[in-house]
Amino acid sequence: MLALRSHNTALVLDLLRTAGTDGISRLELAERTGLTPQAVSKITARLREEGLVAEAGYRASTGGKPRTVLRLVPGAGHALGVHLDRDELHVVLVDLNGTVVAERRAPLDLGSGADAVVAAVAREAEAVVGEAVAGLPDAAVTEVGGGLPDGAVTEVGGGVHDGGVIEVGSGVPCTAVTEVGSGVPDGAVIDVGVGVPDAGVTEFGAGAASAALTDVGAGVSDAATVGSGAEPAGGRLAGVRSLLGLGVALPGPLDHTRGVLHRVTGFPEWDGFPLRDALVRRLGVPVAVDKDTNAAALGLAVAGEGGEGGGGGSFAFLYLGTGLGAGLVIGGAVHRGARTGAGEFGHQVIQLDGPRCECGNRGCLETLCLGAVSRGEVEEAARVLGEGAANLVGLLDIDLVLLGGRTVTAAPEAFVRGVSAVLDARARGAGAVPVRIASGGVAEGAAQLLLAPLFGRGDG
């Protein structure tokens, strides 16, 4: 699917996505993209071959035969989004529309070391895909590779469409497929490959069609490691055809371009760790890494915050959870800065002789805000956050302030009221900038690091 990425294809895909279930005709695509009808026909033909686009009926024409309407197939592609917080891991699997189809949460200690954190991300990502894989559309999974957790596919039941599971590859663990039930059509499982251990398929139900399993490969016995072995080349998720990859969002500072972490506040041991490359080696799929606030801001921009369809508007997303940061969208695009250093909002000093911050400075906004929260002074925390927001509004002249993070969502009305009051007081005669709670999460935004470029929405 990554091979489909091109400017013209992205233009077409984005219009198909925004058209929704109503769809859009090839002629309309040509008119709105500026491409020739011939170019649009070639692009849409390739998208249909890939299963990304389907016909959605016909639309009346001003002359001649009715126009065929095309629509995006949301379930034909997926992306994983991971939010690595200081104490929690949140993983989502989203479709091409950005709709969450599966998710998991698990406790996490970001200071437990790189090996432990990478293993936790891999485990939860594989589990989310494992939970969702049985429900993916026909041919969305071309191979269920070695290493997916036990029970990843718990039952191939009656009514599974031909080609619903095209291949169960070598190394699929015991009980990965626990039952092939009655009524499974011919070819529903085409190949159970070499290396499937004993009980890889535990039962063939009455009435399973003659060719429901067309080839049970050598080694479906104690010889589980015959042939290609237990781990297919390319990583544990590489065989999921519909999976674009995995986006990871976590506290900064970091280098978004190289996927390398710097001295994460409170966790200096991460300095210089190549998180992106470590996860690519582990999972075998493309990986993008960004700050949590940038990822969330990207997701909000794609959803249309700050401008129609996410274009042209400017806003700040202020995230208050275990830390404090900002994601900045300027002119419809995420502003990261030359070194991914933009948005270190929580470490602006607003009290010269204030309490010491974990970053080493005194009087940082993050320390003052979280300190007020820890004392139960929510109104004071909101006022302090508002002072920082007012500085940002005055500096960048943004259109909107969005608030998010677990600390904010625990008392949303108090934070909106407190931040708004400071912005109103410092508006200097101009219209006050609106403040509201953000509609999306960090993990969903992390998934957009892979999805957005497919639709031509920034660089991810």
Side-chain angles (χ1 to χ4, degrees), residues 391-417:
N391 291 342
L392 200 57
V393 169
L395 183 66
L396 298 176
D397 193 23
I398 55 178
D399 305 316
L400 173 68
V401 172
L402 296 169
L403 307 179
R406 70 176 77 165
T407 303
V408 167
T409 55
E413 293 181 0
F415 276 99
V416 170
R417 184 172 59 249

Side-chain angles (χ1 to χ4, degrees), residues 30 191 203 226 240 243 409:
D191 187 354
E203 179 180 346
V226 172
V240 183
L243 187 63
T409 55

Side-chain angles (χ1 to χ4, degrees), residues 150-438:
D150 290 354
V153 181
T154 57
E155 179 177 349
V156 181
V160 176
H161 302 292
D162 291 354
V165 179
I166 295 178
E167 179 177 346
V168 180
S170 58
V172 176
C174 296
T175 74
V177 180
T178 58
E179 179 178 348
V180 179
S182 59
V184 177
D186 291 355
V189 180
I190 296 175
D191 187 354
V192 179
V194 175
V196 178
D198 289 351
V201 179
T202 58
E203 179 180 346
F204 302 90
S210 58
L213 296 177
T214 58
D215 182 8
V216 179
V220 185
S221 63
D222 290 334
T225 58
V226 172
S228 61
E231 182 75 11
R236 296 182 174 186
L237 296 179
V240 183
R241 181 176 178 271
S242 74
L243 187 63
L244 285 163
L246 176 144
V248 183
L250 71 162
L254 54 82
D255 184 334
H256 162 69
T257 304
R258 297 190 300 127
V260 174
L261 307 189
H262 296 320
R263 294 178 63 85
V264 177
T265 304
F267 302 92
E269 64 272 19
W270 281 101
D271 191 19
F273 182 75
L275 179 61
R276 182 186 65 189
D277 292 348
L279 287 170
V280 168
R281 286 193 300 270
R282 182 68 176 255
L283 296 172
V285 296
V287 175
V289 174
D290 207 345
K291 292 198 298 188
D292 46 12
T293 50
N294 288 343
L298 175 64
L300 291 166
V302 169
E305 292 286 7
E308 182 67 25
S314 298
F315 66 85
F317 168 69
L318 307 184
Y319 181 83
L320 181 60
T322 57
L324 174 61
L328 305 175
V329 172
I330 309 296
V334 176
H335 178 69
R336 297 183 174 91
R339 293 167 294 278
T340 326
E344 289 298 318
F345 174 75
H347 297 290
Q348 56 175 305
V349 174
I350 64 171
Q351 184 179 334
L352 294 179
D353 297 320
R356 180 76 66 180
C357 177
E358 288 186 344
C359 74
N361 293 327
R362 287 187 176 276
C364 287
L365 187 63
E366 177 179 295
T367 294
L368 296 173
C369 198
L370 290 178
V373 171
S374 68
R375 297 189 300 270
E377 300 171 0
V378 176
E379 283 76 13
E380 173 63 11
R383 186 190 68 80
V384 172
L385 184 60
E387 293 293 342
N391 291 342
L392 200 57
V393 169
L395 183 66
L396 298 176
D397 193 23
I398 55 178
D399 305 316
L400 173 68
V401 172
L402 296 169
L403 307 179
R406 70 176 77 165
T407 303
V408 167
T409 55
E413 293 181 0
F415 276 99
V416 170
R417 184 172 59 249
V419 173
S420 296
V422 177
L423 292 182
D424 290 347
R426 292 177 56 180
R428 296 186 178 182
V433 172
V435 180
R436 62 173 182 261
I437 300 299

Side-chain angles (χ1 to χ4, degrees), residues 13-223:
L13 278 171
D14 193 43
L15 287 173
L16 285 161
R17 182 181 65 85
T18 54
T21 55
D22 291 339
I24 186 171
S25 71
R26 292 177 180 85
L27 181 59
E28 290 172 295
L29 287 170
E31 291 173 346
R32 295 178 63 178
T33 61
L35 300 173
T36 66
Q38 293 83 358
V40 168
S41 292
K42 289 180 180 179
I43 291 170
T44 55
R46 189 164 72 253
L47 293 175
R48 290 190 65 189
E49 289 175 4
E50 289 287 327
L52 293 169
V53 171
E55 292 187 357
Y58 298 92
R59 186 170 296 163
S61 173
T62 55
K65 63 181 182 180
R67 300 172 186 170
T68 302
V69 175
L70 303 175
R71 64 172 179 84
L72 186 70
V73 180
H78 297 83
L80 283 160
V82 175
H83 181 196
L84 274 176
D85 208 345
R86 292 171 173 85
D87 60 359
E88 184 184 56
L89 173 62
H90 182 204
V91 182
V92 299
L93 182 71
V94 306
D95 64 18
L96 293 177
N97 280 334
T99 303
V100 175
V101 297
E103 66 180 315
R104 289 174 67 94
R105 292 181 184 270
L108 177 77
D109 177 6
L110 196 58
S112 61
D115 289 345
V117 171
V118 168
V121 171
R123 179 179 65 250
E124 296 303 318
E126 290 160 7
V128 164
V129 174
E131 290 170 1
V133 72
L136 295 181
D138 293 355
V141 182
T142 56
E143 177 181 348
V144 180
L148 286 182
D150 290 354
V153 181
T154 57
E155 179 177 349
V156 181
V160 176
H161 302 292
D162 291 354
V165 179
I166 295 178
E167 179 177 346
V168 180
S170 58
V172 176
C174 296
T175 74
V177 180
T178 58
E179 179 178 348
V180 179
S182 59
V184 177
D186 291 355
V189 180
I190 296 175
D191 187 354
V192 179
V194 175
V196 178
D198 289 351
V201 179
T202 58
E203 179 180 346
F204 302 90
S210 58
L213 296 177
T214 58
D215 182 8
V216 179
V220 185
S221 63
D222 290 334

